[in-house]
């Protein structure tokens, strides 16, 4: 199963985290917003669609930059593999708000590690932090 997610980064270099709906798998855990790629969709178009549905924002696919990915089982103990592609995005139209989840918050990437994250989102966060540490020469 292919899933796409976005690390929305604001002017203060904070990342937006989205809290999963309580009634869904991993309900109440924090994640990068996004969702499943539908049949016939390219990942970037799927992510733009998901961000509009979940957060009420408009994103141009040209403003998405590949960051990292994570893999694992879609459901613990199940054989269905899940691949999440994480993109960064610094430009969008509208104010992100939780239309489908339990809330959103902005945080420094290091602060996000203290959140109760969905398992693969923890991997994505580590990849994102590593990417920016390399870019800064740390």
């Amino acid at each position: 199963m292919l899933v796409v997610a976005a690390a929305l980064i604001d002017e203060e270099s904070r990342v937006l985290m989205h809290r999963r709906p309580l009634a869904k798998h991993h309900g109440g855990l924090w994640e990068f917003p996004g969702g499943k790629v539908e049949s016939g969709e390219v990942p970037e178009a799927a992510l733009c669609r998901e961000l509009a549905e979940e957060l009420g924002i408009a994103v141009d696919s040209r403003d998405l930059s590949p960051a990292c990915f994570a893999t694992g089982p879609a459901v613990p103990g199940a054989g269905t593999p899940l691949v999440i592609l994480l993109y960064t995005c610094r430009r969008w139209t509208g104010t992100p708000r939780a239309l489908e989840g339990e809330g959103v918050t902005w945080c420094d990437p290091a602060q996000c590690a203290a959140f109760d994250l969905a398992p693969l989102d923890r991997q994505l966060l580590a990849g994102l932090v590593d990417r920016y540490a390399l870019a800064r020469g740390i």
Side-chain angles (χ1 to χ4, degrees):
M1 179 184 322
L2 183 59
V3 173
V4 288
L8 297 174
I9 303 170
D10 72 5
E11 62 281 346
E12 297 174 37
S13 296
R14 297 178 304 169
V15 176
L16 182 122
M17 297 304 291
H18 179 255
R19 192 164 182 223
R20 291 186 56 78
L22 295 175
K24 290 195 173 184
H25 181 65
H26 292 310
L29 299 182
W30 292 90
E31 66 180 355
F32 292 100
K36 296 175 188 169
V37 177
E38 295 178 357
S39 179
E41 263 185 324
V42 296
E44 295 83 358
L47 185 53
C48 292
R49 175 184 53 75
E50 287 286 350
L51 294 172
E53 291 172 2
E54 288 186 2
L55 303 176
I57 61 172
V59 173
D60 187 312
S61 63
R62 294 172 292 188
D63 291 322
L64 299 172
S65 299
C68 59
F69 70 96
T71 63
V75 177
T80 306
L82 178 68
V83 176
I84 303 178
L85 306 176
L86 182 68
Y87 293 81
T88 58
C89 181
R90 294 181 177 270
R91 189 168 41 197
W92 57 87
T93 303
T95 301
R97 59 197 189 284
L99 299 178
E100 293 185 358
E102 301 300 319
V104 295
T105 191
W106 292 96
C107 60
D108 177 91
Q111 294 171 327
C112 293
F115 283 38
D116 195 7
L117 297 173
L120 292 180
D121 286 270
R122 190 159 298 284
Q123 289 181 31
L124 293 173
L125 179 61
L128 183 67
V129 169
D130 287 348
R131 175 186 164 118
Y132 283 95
L134 287 173
R136 293 180 184 153
I138 298 173

